[in-house]
Amino acid sequence: MTRVVILFLVMLGALDAAYIEVNQNMKALYKGVKLTEAQESYILDNQDKNINILKSIIKEEVKKLDTKFVNDKNVVEFMMNENGTIDNVKFLKKSDERSLDKMTMKIVEQASKQMITPKEKTPMRFIFIYRIGQSAINSQSNDSSAANVSTYEIPISRGTTRFEHTSKEYVRVFETSKDGFVNLSTTPNQCMKRITLLDSDGRKIGVSYAEMLGINVEILKGSYKLLLQTKKTCDVSLQYQ
């Protein structure tokens, strides 16, 4: 997959300004997913059309939202079948608002009926970012710290990383060079509300009470993801091989 990641942005004029981003980031969304040549070609060749279909439906659905302020996102996956139907629709990441997830599911179901059918069953993944109201969250937020909050996947290196307190969930990824242990601790103690460690398939690694005890587990060589939700500004010390 050598093509440049394509981002599609659309500005909507409803609900005191709105900024909606629909993204089919191949590098982030399909990392670790084995695609056939036909599946990859279908996804890349139809990105423009499929995202434009989604955007046209979003524009109408956003007007129906009860709330006038949204700053959230979700990530959806579904299987696109050769006969034009879809199945196994699920969220890889839910938003904090049930109504927003419900609306996103409706958008996907409507859009799928207009999408070109693939030659073989293909996994489709999309990131939806919603910024609605308050002048589209102050024109996508001029706060420099906001760039590090609620982005889909950002690498995290060994050592200590500071996470400013926010209601949003941080998503960080890392890759180990060999089998070994991953160790994570926080300062001050218990400054994280939730810490979740996932493997490349999205399965939780067996960690109990990580937000209180930290993480010290044996893992195989591969790619991993950390989901972090703060209770206060928190320094995270991470070590892996």
Side-chain angles (χ1 to χ4, degrees):
M1 303 176 188
T2 58
R3 296 193 183 188
V4 176
V5 173
I6 303 175
L7 299 178
F8 296 88
L9 310 178
V10 56
M11 299 301 295
L12 305 180
L15 299 176
D16 186 27
Y19 167 89
I20 310 296
E21 179 182 338
V22 182
N23 182 0
Q24 198 174 30
N25 184 323
M26 291 292 289
K27 184 177 181 180
L29 288 174
Y30 290 91
K31 186 175 182 179
V33 178
K34 293 183 179 179
L35 298 172
T36 67
E37 185 176 348
Q39 289 173 331
E40 183 177 340
S41 294
Y42 170 78
I43 294 169
L44 292 172
D45 293 345
N46 294 285
Q47 275 186 332
D48 287 4
K49 180 176 176 61
N50 289 339
I51 290 180
N52 282 333
I53 291 170
L54 287 164
K55 291 193 297 185
S56 66
I57 297 172
I58 289 171
K59 187 173 182 179
E60 296 304 315
E61 291 300 319
V62 162
K63 296 176 183 178
K64 303 174 186 178
L65 279 175
D66 292 333
T67 180
K68 292 186 177 182
F69 179 84
V70 178
N71 185 18
D72 216 330
K73 73 177 188 176
N74 47 35
V75 184
V76 180
E77 177 187 62
F78 60 92
M79 297 300 296
M80 189 76 186
N81 301 313
E82 303 94 316
N83 61 2
T85 62
I86 63 172
D87 53 37
N88 299 328
V89 184
K90 63 181 180 181
F91 285 99
L92 299 180
K93 181 185 185 307
K94 289 186 176 182
S95 72
D96 291 335
E97 299 292 335
R98 186 171 179 271
S99 60
L100 194 63
D101 291 337
K102 186 176 180 180
M103 184 189 76
T104 304
M105 189 71 73
K106 181 179 179 181
I107 290 167
V108 166
E109 291 173 349
Q110 291 183 26
S112 66
K113 298 174 184 178
Q114 303 178 40
M115 293 179 178
I116 297 173
T117 56
K119 293 181 179 179
E120 63 181 76
K121 192 170 185 176
T122 300
M124 302 295 286
R125 294 181 171 188
F126 295 94
I127 305 169
F128 295 83
I129 298 177
Y130 300 92
R131 297 189 180 100
I132 300 167
Q134 208 176 78
S135 296
I137 318 303
N138 297 326
S139 298
Q140 307 168 42
S141 181
N142 292 321
D143 185 350
S144 60
S145 65
N148 296 320
V149 178
S150 192
T151 50
Y152 184 62
E153 288 188 346
I154 297 175
I156 183 170
S157 59
R158 299 179 186 86
T160 301
T161 303
R162 171 158 293 185
F163 292 90
E164 300 294 336
H165 179 49
T166 172
S167 61
K168 311 304 294 180
E169 185 177 62
Y170 289 90
V171 181
R172 296 294 183 267
V173 295
F174 64 93
E175 189 168 343
T176 60
S177 59
K178 58 182 178 179
D179 298 350
F181 281 83
V182 58
N183 297 283
L184 182 150
S185 61
T186 62
T187 304
N189 189 31
Q190 299 184 36
C191 54
M192 282 289 173
K193 180 179 180 181
R194 186 179 299 109
I195 302 173
T196 306
L197 179 63
L198 306 174
D199 64 15
S200 59
D201 294 321
R203 293 186 294 260
K204 290 183 180 180
I205 308 296
V207 179
S208 299
Y209 306 108
E211 58 272 18
M212 292 188 289
L213 304 176
I215 294 175
N216 182 17
V217 294
E218 189 172 7
I219 58 175
L220 300 175
K221 175 184 176 181
S223 301
Y224 294 88
K225 182 183 298 183
L226 277 170
L227 308 181
L228 305 164
Q229 191 165 9
T230 61
K231 287 195 289 188
K232 61 182 75 174
T233 295
C234 191
D235 289 336
V236 173
S237 175
L238 179 66
Q239 298 295 331
Y240 54 87
Q241 296 178 310

